[in-house]
Amino acid sequence: MGKKIKGFGGRSFKNSSSKKPNVNQLLAEAQKTQQLMEDEMSTLEGELANKEVEATSGGGVVKVIANGNLRVKDIIISEELEGEDMEIIKDMIIAATNEAIEKANQIKEEENEKISQKYLGGLQNMGFGL
């Protein structure tokens, strides 16, 4: 049992390490959590490659299909546009592509956020207070 010293308000200086988190243990847990998060993010990248989004323009005469990794997989142009001005067709392709990439990016961000919250919440519970 520690001695009480009058000059310090009568507080005891006995070993109170049980109240404080072990820094080495917290660091090990954080590293483990980081590795789990990185593994899950890597798995997500593979899953996103298989998720598809599509967007259309011109009332559906141009369709763009992209995957969750923000890659355009296909562009489908209706035969209705045969003989149409090339500038109009290009504008429709650009509009549909931008919309498809936006949708894919939204899916990617949502999935990343789920994983981040899963692991950052764990760090908060370990005493990091993020």
Side-chain angles (χ1 to χ4, degrees):
M1 187 173 270
K3 292 183 179 180
K4 290 186 179 181
I5 301 174
K6 212 173 200 178
F8 289 103
R11 285 181 245 147
S12 176
F13 288 101
K14 63 182 172 181
N15 190 0
S16 62
S17 64
S18 62
K19 294 180 185 176
K20 294 182 182 177
N22 181 334
V23 175
N24 290 332
Q25 183 181 4
L26 287 175
L27 184 57
E29 286 294 320
Q31 288 172 337
K32 179 180 173 185
T33 300
Q34 179 184 6
Q35 185 60 51
L36 289 171
M37 185 175 170
E38 287 175 3
D39 292 346
E40 199 163 332
M41 289 290 205
S42 179
T43 300
L44 174 62
E45 286 296 316
E47 292 172 0
L48 287 173
N50 295 322
K51 285 190 177 189
E52 290 186 354
V53 296
E54 60 181 59
T56 61
S57 65
V61 293
V62 173
K63 181 192 295 187
V64 174
I65 300 169
N67 69 17
N69 283 334
L70 312 178
R71 301 284 186 236
V72 174
K73 294 183 73 175
D74 198 4
I75 298 174
I76 301 164
I77 302 171
S78 172
E79 291 179 12
E80 293 175 37
L81 291 177
E82 190 175 323
E84 191 66 48
D85 181 38
M86 189 56 78
E87 287 301 312
I88 293 173
I89 295 171
K90 283 173 39 177
D91 288 343
M92 285 189 252
I93 292 171
I94 290 168
T97 301
N98 287 336
E99 185 180 337
I101 296 299
E102 211 172 283
K103 286 179 178 180
N105 195 40
Q106 184 177 3
I107 289 171
K108 186 174 187 170
E109 286 178 3
E110 287 171 0
E111 295 298 321
N112 281 334
E113 182 68 20
K114 286 177 190 175
I115 293 171
S116 295
Q117 288 302 315
K118 177 180 173 180
Y119 290 103
L120 289 179
L123 287 176
Q124 287 175 337
N125 294 336
M126 285 189 288
F128 283 100
L130 297 173

